């Protein structure tokens, strides 16, 4: 055996695991289907700006170990995510907080805002008659009421998921904070930021001194590659590993329309959500605001924006968000039963576990897997 580990995929899962194993003296080979490493955190420099090629990525966590691990390898900036919603030309701060309530109804104190929300949600609460909300629409209406649901949730959610709010699970909306303070920080986590110089710095440092073969699809060279290593960490799609023999697991995907503009500042914020159903894209990302703050925004006379169009995934497209409905949950269990029978293969990460992992939980999972390997 030439290697202790063959690591399939150079996203955050593969790269973190490879780093930890390499640090412990293990011989690792990383193979990556794409022409570059990094998986979905990969950035491309366009007009001097780090463009998040596969969608905007903000690292946020309460886990100090993960935060310190990342910062020891690639220091993070002080970016705080504070998206703005544009509904028919009027702007509202997110997540739902005193600024939003003031913009929506002109209320200025928490007591006034609470009273207004009580009035807004009363109809929906009455209709539930004591039972739990059974879908996203009921959950949103009983949480924040009619105006916020109609202006800031309904259109955005239906565009993002391609389904009516009545067909979506309630839990999706529960992760949005509701605050009675003037605080536009989208996340409740203690630590938040973006690696200075972009995510490639983090990935390149994790993979430093490790053999990496890009443009190499494991599934096309399965036998030959497997024979090189004692164990495989597979981070590609679970159904692809089994040649889709039970059918395809479904995803939502995103189409990005990226433009370089000859102005220094297009929308004044990294993220603007378009919450009206009639606007075809869900949001516009202006990448420079992830890394330049205050007057530094004007150092570069150009800017790069990406409009995001959420779409149903078809084979051949990039798989982004797992669709956790009943069909896919059943299929996942069947594939997991097949995976459990594979010897010397660990299935890990967003695609191999068919699970929506944020970056910090991905790193945590890689750390856990490595600690299990060590023992
Ligand atoms: P991936 O990054 O998908 O890496 C898997 C790698 O395996 C890919 O490089 C792929 O090319 C490779 N591969 C697949 N099959 C094969 C094969 N057969 N042979 C060789 N290589 C193969 N997280 C946050 O914390 N904050 C955010 O703001 C955030 N925003 C996101 C926005 C979008 C649009 C998406 C889709 C995700 C976002 N995430 C965010 C989640 C984040 O991208 C994931 O947590 C992270 O990418 C998971 O890493 P991974 O290695 O499991 O998967
Ligand atoms: N959401 C919304 N309006 C917004 C932003 C989010 O209705 O302006 C809803 C949408 O349904 C989304 C959910 O809140 O799926 C969770 O938001 P988050 O930002 O966590 O989205 P995700 O991580 O799913 O992209």
């Amino acid at each position: 055996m030439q290697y202790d580990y063959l690591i399939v995929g150079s996203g955050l899962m593969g790269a973190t695991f490879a780093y930890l194993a390499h640090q412990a003296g293990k011989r690792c080979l990383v193979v990556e289907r794409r022409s570059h490493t990094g998986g979905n955190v990969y950035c491309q420099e366009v007009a001097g700006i780090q463009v998040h090629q596969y969608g905007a990525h903000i690292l946020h966590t309460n886990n100090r170990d993960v935060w310190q691990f990342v910062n020891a390898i690639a220091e993070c900036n002080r970016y705080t995510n504070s998206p703005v919603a544009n509904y028919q030309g009027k702007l509202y701060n997110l997540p739902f907080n005193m600024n939003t309530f003031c913009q929506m109804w002109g209320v200025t104190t928490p007591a006034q805002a609470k009273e207004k929300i009580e009035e807004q949600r009363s109809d929906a609460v009455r209709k539930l008659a004591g039972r739990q909300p059974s879908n996203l629409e009921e959950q949103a209406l009983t949480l924040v009421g009619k105006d916020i649901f109609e202006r800031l949730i309904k259109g955005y959610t239906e565009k993002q998921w391609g389904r009516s709010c009545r067909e979506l699970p309630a839990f999706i909306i529960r992760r949005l904070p509701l605050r009675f303070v003037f605080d536009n920080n989208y996340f409740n986590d203690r630590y938040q930021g973006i690696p200075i110089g972009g995510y490639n710095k983090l990935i390149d440092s994790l993979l430093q001194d490790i053999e990496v073969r890009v443009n190499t699809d494991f599934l096309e060279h399965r036998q030959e590659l497997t024979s090189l290593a004692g164990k495989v960490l597979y981070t590609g799609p679970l159904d692809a590993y089994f040649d889709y023999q039970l059918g395809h697991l479904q995803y939502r995907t995103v189409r990005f329309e990226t433009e370089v503009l000859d102005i220094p500042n297009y929308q004044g914020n990294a993220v603007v959500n378009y919450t009206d159903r009639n606007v075809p894209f869900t949001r516009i990302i202006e990448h420079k605001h992830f890394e330049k703050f205050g007057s530094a925004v004007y150092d570069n006379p150009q800017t790069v924006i990406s409009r995001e169009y959420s779409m149903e995934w078809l084979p051949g497209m990039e798989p982004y968000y797992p669709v956790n409905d009943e069909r896919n949950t059943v299929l996942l269990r069947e594939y997991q039963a097949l995976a459990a029978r594979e010897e010397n293969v660990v299935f890990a990460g967003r695609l191999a576990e068919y699970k929506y992992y944020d970056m910090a939980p991905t790193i945590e999972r890689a750390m856990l897997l490595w600690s299990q390997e060590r023992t």
Side-chain angles (χ1 to χ4, degrees):
M1 294 286 175
Q2 256 174 280
Y3 303 96
D4 297 301
Y5 291 100
L6 171 72
I7 292 151
V8 180
S10 63
L12 213 43
M13 174 58 77
T16 306
F17 185 91
Y19 173 85
L20 296 170
H22 178 75
Q23 291 286 99
K26 300 292 178 192
R27 295 158 306 160
C28 299
L29 170 64
V30 177
V31 293
E32 170 55 56
R33 190 170 55 86
R34 291 176 178 162
S35 59
H36 60 76
T37 57
N40 285 348
V41 307
Y42 172 72
C43 297
Q44 199 178 24
E45 194 172 303
V46 179
I49 295 160
Q50 292 297 316
V51 172
H52 298 200
Q53 195 77 6
Y54 300 93
H57 278 73
I58 301 129
L59 179 68
H60 57 97
T61 183
N62 270 322
N63 185 325
R64 195 168 55 166
D65 291 345
V66 168
W67 183 249
Q68 287 179 343
F69 173 81
V70 170
N71 276 271
I73 294 169
E75 193 188 346
C76 290
N77 67 20
R78 61 118 180 119
Y79 177 75
T80 303
N81 199 29
S82 47
V84 168
N86 181 323
Y87 178 74
Q88 299 186 347
K90 189 164 173 5
L91 299 182
Y92 299 89
N93 286 111
L94 294 172
F96 311 131
N97 74 86
M98 281 305 295
N99 289 309
T100 329
F101 309 142
C102 178
Q103 290 146 351
M104 184 79 54
W105 304 303
V107 295
T108 54
T109 66
Q112 287 170 0
K114 282 187 178 168
E115 195 183 318
K116 192 73 193 172
I117 286 183
E118 274 314 307
E119 177 193 312
Q120 288 272 318
R121 60 195 279 276
S122 59
D123 260 3
V125 171
R126 200 171 327 111
K127 277 190 198 138
L128 275 192
R131 72 176 162 82
Q132 289 297 310
S134 64
N135 59 51
L136 194 149
E137 177 164 322
E138 286 182 357
Q139 179 69 65
L141 284 170
T142 51
L143 203 67
V144 288
K146 196 163 127 304
D147 289 352
I148 292 184
F149 174 67
E150 278 167 9
R151 289 184 219 173
L152 303 184
I153 297 176
K154 190 172 190 299
Y156 185 91
T157 300
E158 294 192 349
K159 281 191 286 187
Q160 173 158 353
W161 295 101
R163 286 157 180 77
S164 145
C165 287
R166 292 200 194 102
E167 294 166 49
L168 287 165
F171 76 84
I172 292 182
I173 209 71
R174 265 185 243 134
R175 57 178 191 245
L176 279 185
L178 177 64
R179 298 196 190 114
F180 292 90
V181 287
F182 291 90
D183 179 2
N184 299 327
N185 181 352
Y186 201 60
F187 300 118
N188 286 324
D189 290 331
R190 180 157 176 200
Y191 307 106
Q192 180 174 176
I194 290 177
I196 297 167
Y199 286 95
N200 299 2
K201 283 211 162 172
L202 172 64
I203 297 290
D204 291 349
S205 301
L206 287 171
L207 293 175
Q208 200 181 344
D209 301 326
I210 296 173
E211 188 180 339
V212 179
R213 297 185 196 163
V214 292
N215 296 312
T216 304
D217 189 329
F218 166 75
L219 299 174
E220 284 174 12
H221 310 276
R222 190 193 295 239
Q223 270 193 337
E224 172 206 335
L225 287 169
T226 308
S227 70
L228 298 178
K231 202 157 187 181
V232 176
L233 181 88
Y234 177 81
T235 75
L238 182 61
D239 52 0
Y241 183 93
F242 295 103
D243 209 13
Y244 307 103
Q245 58 182 270
L246 305 173
H248 280 276
L249 288 164
Q250 292 167 312
Y251 288 89
R252 290 291 290 170
T253 192
V254 184
R255 180 170 70 81
F256 301 99
E257 200 177 80
T258 297
E259 253 185 277
V260 180
L261 303 177
D262 289 325
I263 51 170
N265 190 7
Y266 174 71
Q267 61 184 14
N269 205 31
V271 185
V272 178
N273 293 354
Y274 283 77
T275 56
D276 184 352
R277 190 78 174 87
N278 295 320
V279 177
F281 43 86
T282 46
R283 56 183 195 175
I284 300 182
I285 301 297
E286 185 170 9
H287 299 269
K288 70 160 39 168
H289 297 296
F290 287 125
E291 53 181 348
K292 296 280 183 228
F293 311 110
S295 61
V297 166
Y298 293 89
D299 292 349
N300 183 339
Q302 293 186 303
T303 194
V304 182
I305 60 165
S306 299
R307 292 185 192 83
E308 296 189 359
Y309 298 82
S310 179
M311 302 162 67
E312 207 67 65
W313 172 89
L314 292 171
M317 293 176 173
E318 286 297 340
Y320 281 146
Y321 298 99
V323 179
N324 298 112
D325 62 8
E326 212 177 308
R327 175 201 174 269
N328 289 291
T329 307
V330 169
L331 192 55
L332 172 62
R333 276 198 216 108
E334 291 170 6
Y335 274 121
Q336 282 171 334
L338 292 181
R341 282 190 235 135
E342 287 292 291
E343 275 179 29
N344 293 324
V345 184
V346 178
F347 294 84
R350 202 177 53 88
L351 298 168
E353 296 181 62
Y354 190 67
K355 180 171 173 179
Y356 186 86
Y357 275 118
D358 268 330
M359 290 181 283
T362 303
I363 295 170
E364 266 172 56
R365 179 104 181 97
M367 288 171 159
L368 177 73
L369 285 174
W370 173 244
S371 71
Q372 288 167 349
E373 284 297 303
R374 235 180 2 189
T375 53

